[in-house]
Amino acid sequence: MTHQRSKPGIPVYRQVYLRFRQSIEDGRLLPGERVPSVRALAAELNLARGTVESAYQLLIGEGFLQARGSAGTVVSHQLKPASQSSPVERPQLHSICVMHSGAEPSPLQLGLPAMDVFPRKLWNRLVGKEIRESGLNSLVYPDTRGYLPLRMAVASYLAISRGVNCATEQVFICAGYGATLDLIFRSLLKKGDQCWFENPGYIMARQFLKEAGVQLIPVPVDADGLNVGAGIRIAPNARIAVVTPSHQSPLGISLSLHRREALIEWANRQRSWIIEDDYDSEYRYQGHPLAALKSIDTQDRVLYTGTFSKVLAPGLRISYLVVPRKLVSRFTNMADIMQNHCPQLLQATVATFIRDGHFARHLRKMRSLYAHRRSLLIDALRSELGENIQIDIKEGGMHLLLRLRNGFQDKQIALNAKKLGFSVLALSAAYLNIKGEQGLLVGFTNVSSEKLAAEWAKSLAIAFVPYHLPR
Amino acid sequence: MTHQRSKPGIPVYRQVYLRFRQSIEDGRLLPGERVPSVRALAAELNLARGTVESAYQLLIGEGFLQARGSAGTVVSHQLKPASQSSPVERPQLHSICVMHSGAEPSPLQLGLPAMDVFPRKLWNRLVGKEIRESGLNSLVYPDTRGYLPLRMAVASYLAISRGVNCATEQVFICAGYGATLDLIFRSLLKKGDQCWFENPGYIMARQFLKEAGVQLIPVPVDADGLNVGAGIRIAPNARIAVVTPSHQSPLGISLSLHRREALIEWANRQRSWIIEDDYDSEYRYQGHPLAALKSIDTQDRVLYTGTFSKVLAPGLRISYLVVPRKLVSRFTNMADIMQNHCPQLLQATVATFIRDGHFARHLRKMRSLYAHRRSLLIDALRSELGENIQIDIKEGGMHLLLRLRNGFQDKQIALNAKKLGFSVLALSAAYLNIKGEQGLLVGFTNVSSEKLAAEWAKSLAIAFVPYHLPR
């Protein structure tokens, strides 16, 4: 067994070790309880015996297990008190959402583009060129609306690719989707304003809006996307709706044309606003991308948002926002007050990257790469997890939804997987107020080989092993 | 006359032109009113006749003035309607605060370090090295608390230079002072909370806090800095106080030791918080910098903030915050929710810049340079503005306060100066609720030569010429 890839991921023997240790600390394995034999567990997990043997040795060495010869191996009677189990953990949010902690990508990490194929040399060359040529401009206060050439590049990209026609002055650059929401919230909303929010929805946005004091109105999502009729019944006078029409986050559904029209009609009638989060619309593997909701927004009620985090790299911290014409002045003032600044160096490099055609090439390349990686992961997961999951395959996006069968609880599986080094998410955590469906959201963008797909699928399968032996 | 430096600044003939045009558009010069002769105005402004002649020709050519031969030159009777006077203006804030618009530094711009001596080659080399060596890490989501090596570098810098002893985990990196305030506000405050705010105070912070919904309690500043006793009388139970103890913003006063102790004692007693904005403490030209207020904060009530905008370059968008130990977990959670991200590339470069000793060298160099530039500007202003101003000289900082005499109104002068291309600020705009004192705040960091000092002082003098001829 030579699975010991140190990055990303954790050696398999250590994953087994961690899984046991956690079960013991959580009280799911009790002192005196007998654990499976090395041979039986190796067979169950389809691992080499040496791998399981190493894990058991470590557990015995640290006093979690005791070897009793022919009586088998049991959980020790003298255990350390349950405490903070892992030194890398941070409080509170961990159980439900993927953290952004500056670490290298985790296996199956959600929402992260394929960093292994990011055109680093080209990018570094462009940054270097920009830094030499930009003079003082990249060092003084950046324009709070964003760097003009990037705003222009975004406006023309959106016109060509997304059917969004806007003037450059309507485009604002922000430091990521959170900053975009902040600018919108401060410019348009006040505490207690009602906001339609997809249920299930994007957890980061939900946390941000909740913290800002918005009254989130969960609106169910069905096979056609956001159920606009339900939204109207629940909160007809909501001030704003946040939607992901291209690939509903997290279900991956496209909002149907009928629903799009109904949503726009509602906003026009109520003079409410719509935030269109078009976060990964560029990735669609079957058929053509739908034009943005914004493209049918004749009365200018839609605030269109996108980000370079999903299509280039999140480390750039660059997102964009198109505001209705009549709001330009209001958003400009608020951008000044908030000091809505992104370092110009990176904005300028992205502008060049787009202008010189690298962006379009990169997207094309990623589209075919992701289609391939997705299929690798699907095959590997089906092979390792078999009937425990059913894979929901949608037209696009950057993650798969694995529906859980056989009574597996997604939060528990996600927690187990996290302890094994994965960054995956429980679908039920994306629901507000209701229990929601059971599923696991897994990213496929970083599955860089068939071998890795197999390895990760095998590791993920460990998260599904209950270790609850019948007493 | 060959003052035609295109950047920064505006040719003098054009400044004269703009000044007249504005007076006409504002109605301070009325149709039919006679303007001074070229010779008289040239003498009054100490300019070459050709300069004034050029300005008048332009005004006549555009129809603002009419030449009437021996009857002199008068304001035209057919004027364009008063409209948006300048296409570069943005609404609302402009009259009171320096805008951050991505432009090159303006003459006498406030709060901007000397960009002409920024060590660009060294910096570019470090960025280049970082980008080559950082691998994927600079491209994935940055740590929401900040890049660890930078947090470590800040912690040791603060211990050595500012007497602030803190653990690395107490240090957070934010994208500028606005982002720092935002993190503090969301972590500690709620709408309506009372906040002591220096009167006069830092306008950017005031706008930000006001927008966030804090109840600002103006507390007078006297020769010892913030009047703590007055604060206690006005709002004894305020939840927080925002102070600039090293160089009060904008008056430049150091908070006296007695007041520091009283402030800390109040916060301890009330269990209130203090935000210490130590924005340019590094610059002190007489005597030694005082240790930070935080250094005497035995009960951990002070949130210490600083920024690299003033000592390196604002374009980096990097500031830092030291939070009390007991708040680390709360701030960590909030940083996650807010997605408090700064691009790692620039954070890492600053960390290297500090670690390799460049930062300490840069500060030393800037200290002596600024002392020199300050004296250049003082001499030039005294020579050109004479008894119209009295210069308030403090121990440190990056700007001068010109007290206005002879009945000049600072907001009008600041507006005039802005139209001439300057970024200066009216002192009275920094007061909340009261009329405040009259003065002009001018930056000296970019006064790169004696010649430039003379040129800018001469141009600034134009902002003081009333052009109100006796009728």
Side-chain angles (χ1 to χ4, degrees):
Chain A
M1 199 61 196
T2 52
H3 272 321
Q4 315 207 358
R5 297 174 57 91
S6 59
K7 295 174 188 178
I10 296 178
V12 172
Y13 84 91
R14 194 164 169 81
Q15 297 181 22
V16 174
Y17 156 81
L18 288 169
R19 196 60 199 82
F20 266 90
R21 188 178 136 173
Q22 195 56 45
S23 292
I24 293 167
E25 288 179 348
D26 291 351
R28 278 173 290 145
L29 278 174
L30 297 175
E33 195 167 338
R34 192 169 159 175
V35 300
S37 70
V38 168
R39 190 174 57 188
L41 188 62
E44 186 182 343
L45 299 181
N46 193 20
L47 294 176
R49 285 192 204 173
T51 303
V52 176
E53 183 69 37
S54 302
Y56 276 23
Q57 286 305 326
L58 195 55
L59 289 160
I60 290 165
E62 295 190 357
F64 289 97
L65 297 184
Q66 289 181 316
R68 296 245 172 120
S70 61
T73 301
V74 298
V75 178
S76 299
H77 284 278
Q78 290 104 23
L79 287 176
K80 301 168 197 165
S83 64
Q84 292 90 348
S85 52
S86 157
V88 298
E89 276 191 316
R90 290 199 262 154
Q92 194 166 319
L93 291 173
H94 270 246
S95 58
I96 56 160
C97 91
V98 176
M99 287 312 309
H100 297 158
S101 61
E104 294 209 0
S106 308
L108 307 184
Q109 185 163 335
L110 284 167
L112 199 66
M115 300 315 300
D116 59 315
V117 295
F118 182 81
R120 277 179 55 203
K121 277 195 181 165
L122 167 65
W123 179 259
N124 292 357
R125 187 161 55 74
L126 295 179
V127 172
K129 192 162 180 294
E130 182 57 39
I131 207 171
R132 282 190 307 277
E133 294 177 359
S134 63
L136 290 183
N137 281 327
S138 68
L139 295 170
V140 299
Y141 283 100
D143 193 314
T144 52
R145 297 162 296 182
Y147 180 57
L148 187 62
L150 180 58
R151 298 165 75 205
M152 293 167 67
V154 166
S156 57
Y157 165 70
L158 293 179
I160 295 166
S161 302
R162 308 295 300 129
V164 172
N165 289 300
C166 62
T168 301
E169 63 162 17
Q170 293 174 264
V171 180
F172 289 74
I173 306 297
C174 301
Y177 185 48
T180 306
L181 286 175
D182 195 25
L183 179 58
I184 295 171
F185 174 77
R186 290 175 193 260
S187 301
L188 285 186
L189 303 176
K190 54 183 194 306
K191 285 214 178 193
D193 274 351
Q194 288 187 324
C195 170
W196 288 6
F197 197 79
E198 294 167 331
N199 206 20
Y202 181 40
I203 292 179
M204 283 295 188
R206 184 178 91 197
Q207 288 174 327
F208 188 93
L209 291 166
K210 192 177 159 201
E211 200 286 315
V214 169
Q215 187 192 341
L216 290 173
I217 308 288
V219 176
V221 173
D222 60 24
D224 285 334
L226 182 87
N227 188 330
V228 176
I232 293 173
R233 278 191 300 278
I234 303 166
N237 305 313
R239 178 104 177 105
I240 199 157
V242 181
V243 287
T244 49
S246 291
H247 309 135
Q248 199 276 331
S249 174
L251 296 178
I253 293 159
S254 288
L255 189 63
S256 70
L257 184 59
H258 180 73
R259 290 276 175 83
R260 288 173 187 237
E261 289 167 349
L263 181 61
I264 295 273
E265 197 192 329
W266 164 77
N268 290 345
R269 195 171 59 236
Q270 293 292 330
R271 307 195 60 72
S272 298
W273 303 107
I274 298 166
I275 299 178
E276 175 176 21
D277 175 12
D278 208 32
Y279 65 109
D280 68 356
S281 63
E282 288 86 355
Y283 298 131
R284 196 178 164 98
Y285 314 111
Q286 288 135 28
H288 287 286
L290 287 172
L293 177 66
K294 177 73 187 165
S295 68
I296 58 166
D297 172 33
T298 51
Q299 294 186 35
D300 227 5
R301 308 304 304 175
V302 175
L303 295 103
Y304 177 91
T305 70
T307 176
F308 290 105
S309 294
K310 310 295 182 202
V311 288
L312 276 179
L316 306 176
R317 308 312 308 140
I318 300 180
S319 59
Y320 47 87
L321 166 66
V322 178
V323 307
R325 274 179 193 277
K326 56 187 164 295
L327 298 180
V328 166
S329 156
R330 197 191 299 189
F331 273 72
T332 301
N333 280 334
M334 189 50 69
D336 280 342
I337 292 176
M338 288 172 59
Q339 305 184 38
N340 178 58
H341 290 137
C342 302
Q344 184 178 304
L345 175 65
L346 299 175
Q347 292 190 67
T349 307
V350 173
T352 305
F353 194 83
I354 297 174
R355 195 199 57 211
D356 291 357
H358 304 300
F359 186 56
R361 264 194 298 281
H362 183 65
L363 284 179
R364 275 199 301 277
K365 191 173 156 194
M366 290 304 102
R367 250 178 235 125
S368 65
L369 184 80
Y370 288 174
H372 176 62
R373 292 186 170 186
R374 188 172 73 151
S375 70
L376 289 181
L377 187 63
I378 290 172
D379 291 347
L381 290 174
R382 281 185 175 149
S383 149
E384 293 293 335
L385 284 162
E387 61 193 22
N388 288 331
I389 57 164
Q390 178 196 327
I391 304 179
D392 229 31
I393 298 177
K394 291 288 183 290
E395 294 85 357
M398 296 165 69
H399 67 260
L400 290 172
L401 168 53
L402 319 182
R403 307 249 176 208
L404 301 189
R405 291 173 164 177
N406 300 334
F408 283 107
Q409 295 297 301
D410 60 359
K411 285 183 184 167
Q412 186 59 54
I413 300 289
L415 198 63
N416 293 347
K418 188 179 143 31
K419 302 232 162 87
L420 298 169
F422 288 96
S423 283
V424 298
L425 194 65
L427 173 61
S428 67
Y431 285 87
L432 200 58
N433 299 352
I434 57 173
K435 186 166 183 306
E437 295 180 43
Q438 295 285 313
L440 210 60
L441 301 163
V442 299
F444 53 75
T445 53
N446 281 306
V447 179
S448 57
S449 68
E450 190 174 341
K451 181 165 168 294
L452 196 63
E455 196 173 307
W456 286 356
K458 185 167 286 193
S459 295
L460 188 63
I462 296 174
F464 282 74
V465 176
Y467 292 157
H468 281 278
L469 303 182
R471 302 231 175 109
Chain B
M1 195 66 193
T2 53
H3 271 323
Q4 314 205 357
R5 298 174 57 90
S6 59
K7 294 175 189 177
I10 297 177
V12 172
Y13 84 91
R14 193 162 170 83
Q15 297 181 19
V16 174
Y17 156 81
L18 288 170
R19 195 60 199 81
F20 266 91
R21 187 179 137 173
Q22 195 56 45
S23 292
I24 293 166
E25 288 180 346
D26 292 351
R28 279 172 290 147
L29 277 173
L30 296 174
E33 196 166 336
R34 191 169 159 177
V35 299
S37 71
V38 167
R39 192 174 53 186
L41 188 61
E44 187 182 345
L45 297 181
N46 193 20
L47 294 175
R49 285 194 205 172
T51 303
V52 177
E53 184 67 37
S54 301
Y56 277 23
Q57 287 304 329
L58 194 55
L59 289 159
I60 291 165
E62 294 190 357
F64 288 98
L65 298 183
Q66 288 180 317
R68 293 247 172 116
S70 62
T73 301
V74 298
V75 177
S76 299
H77 284 278
Q78 290 104 25
L79 287 175
K80 302 168 198 166
S83 62
Q84 292 89 351
S85 52
S86 157
V88 297
E89 277 192 316
R90 289 197 264 152
Q92 193 166 318
L93 292 174
H94 270 245
S95 58
I96 55 158
C97 92
V98 176
M99 288 311 312
H100 296 158
S101 61
E104 293 210 358
S106 308
L108 307 183
Q109 184 163 335
L110 284 168
L112 199 66
M115 300 314 299
D116 59 315
V117 295
F118 182 82
R120 277 179 56 203
K121 277 194 179 166
L122 167 64
W123 180 259
N124 292 356
R125 188 161 56 73
L126 295 179
V127 172
K129 190 162 182 295
E130 183 57 40
I131 206 172
R132 282 190 306 277
E133 294 176 359
S134 62
L136 289 182
N137 280 326
S138 69
L139 295 169
V140 300
Y141 283 100
D143 193 313
T144 53
R145 296 163 297 181
Y147 180 57
L148 186 62
L150 180 58
R151 298 166 74 205
M152 292 167 67
V154 166
S156 57
Y157 166 70
L158 292 179
I160 295 165
S161 302
R162 306 295 301 129
V164 173
N165 289 299
C166 62
T168 301
E169 63 162 17
Q170 292 174 266
V171 180
F172 289 74
I173 306 297
C174 302
Y177 185 48
T180 306
L181 286 176
D182 195 25
L183 179 58
I184 296 171
F185 174 77
R186 290 176 193 259
S187 301
L188 285 186
L189 303 175
K190 54 183 193 308
K191 286 215 179 192
D193 274 351
Q194 288 187 325
C195 170
W196 288 5
F197 198 79
E198 294 167 330
N199 206 22
Y202 182 39
I203 292 179
M204 282 295 188
R206 184 178 89 198
Q207 288 174 325
F208 188 93
L209 291 167
K210 192 177 161 201
E211 200 286 317
V214 168
Q215 186 192 339
L216 291 173
I217 308 289
V219 177
V221 174
D222 60 24
D224 285 335
L226 182 87
N227 188 330
V228 177
I232 294 173
R233 279 191 301 279
I234 303 165
N237 304 315
R239 177 105 175 104
I240 199 158
V242 181
V243 287
T244 50
S246 292
H247 309 136
Q248 199 277 330
S249 175
L251 296 177
I253 293 158
S254 288
L255 189 63
S256 70
L257 185 58
H258 180 73
R259 289 277 175 81
R260 287 173 189 235
E261 289 166 348
L263 181 60
I264 295 274
E265 197 191 328
W266 164 79
N268 290 346
R269 197 172 56 237
Q270 293 292 329
R271 306 194 62 73
S272 297
W273 303 108
I274 298 166
I275 298 177
E276 175 176 22
D277 176 12
D278 208 32
Y279 65 109
D280 67 357
S281 62
E282 289 86 355
Y283 298 130
R284 195 176 165 99
Y285 314 111
Q286 288 135 26
H288 288 286
L290 288 172
L293 177 65
K294 177 72 186 167
S295 70
I296 59 166
D297 171 34
T298 51
Q299 292 186 38
D300 228 5
R301 308 304 304 175
V302 175
L303 294 104
Y304 176 90
T305 70
T307 175
F308 291 104
S309 294
K310 310 295 180 201
V311 288
L312 277 178
L316 306 177
R317 309 313 308 138
I318 299 180
S319 60
Y320 48 88
L321 166 65
V322 178
V323 307
R325 274 179 192 277
K326 55 188 165 296
L327 299 181
V328 166
S329 155
R330 198 191 299 188
F331 273 72
T332 301
N333 280 334
M334 190 50 69
D336 281 341
I337 292 176
M338 290 172 58
Q339 304 184 39
N340 178 58
H341 289 138
C342 302
Q344 185 179 305
L345 175 65
L346 299 175
Q347 292 190 66
T349 308
V350 174
T352 306
F353 195 82
I354 298 175
R355 195 198 57 211
D356 291 357
H358 304 301
F359 186 56
R361 265 195 297 282
H362 183 65
L363 283 179
R364 275 199 301 277
K365 190 173 155 194
M366 290 304 103
R367 250 178 235 125
S368 66
L369 184 79
Y370 289 173
H372 176 61
R373 292 186 170 186
R374 189 174 73 151
S375 71
L376 289 180
L377 186 63
I378 290 171
D379 292 348
L381 290 174
R382 281 186 174 147
S383 150
E384 291 294 335
L385 284 163
E387 61 194 23
N388 287 332
I389 57 163
Q390 179 196 326
I391 304 179
D392 228 32
I393 299 178
K394 291 289 183 290
E395 295 84 358
M398 296 165 69
H399 67 262
L400 290 173
L401 167 54
L402 318 182
R403 306 249 177 209
L404 301 189
R405 291 172 163 177
N406 300 333
F408 283 107
Q409 295 297 300
D410 62 357
K411 285 184 183 166
Q412 186 59 53
I413 300 289
L415 199 63
N416 293 348
K418 187 177 143 34
K419 303 231 162 89
L420 297 169
F422 288 96
S423 282
V424 298
L425 193 66
L427 173 60
S428 67
Y431 285 87
L432 199 59
N433 298 352
I434 58 172
K435 185 165 184 308
E437 295 180 43
Q438 295 285 314
L440 210 58
L441 302 163
V442 300
F444 53 75
T445 52
N446 280 306
V447 179
S448 57
S449 69
E450 190 175 342
K451 181 165 170 293
L452 197 63
E455 196 173 305
W456 287 356
K458 184 167 287 193
S459 294
L460 188 63
I462 295 174
F464 282 75
V465 175
Y467 292 153
H468 281 279
L469 301 182
R471 301 226 176 115

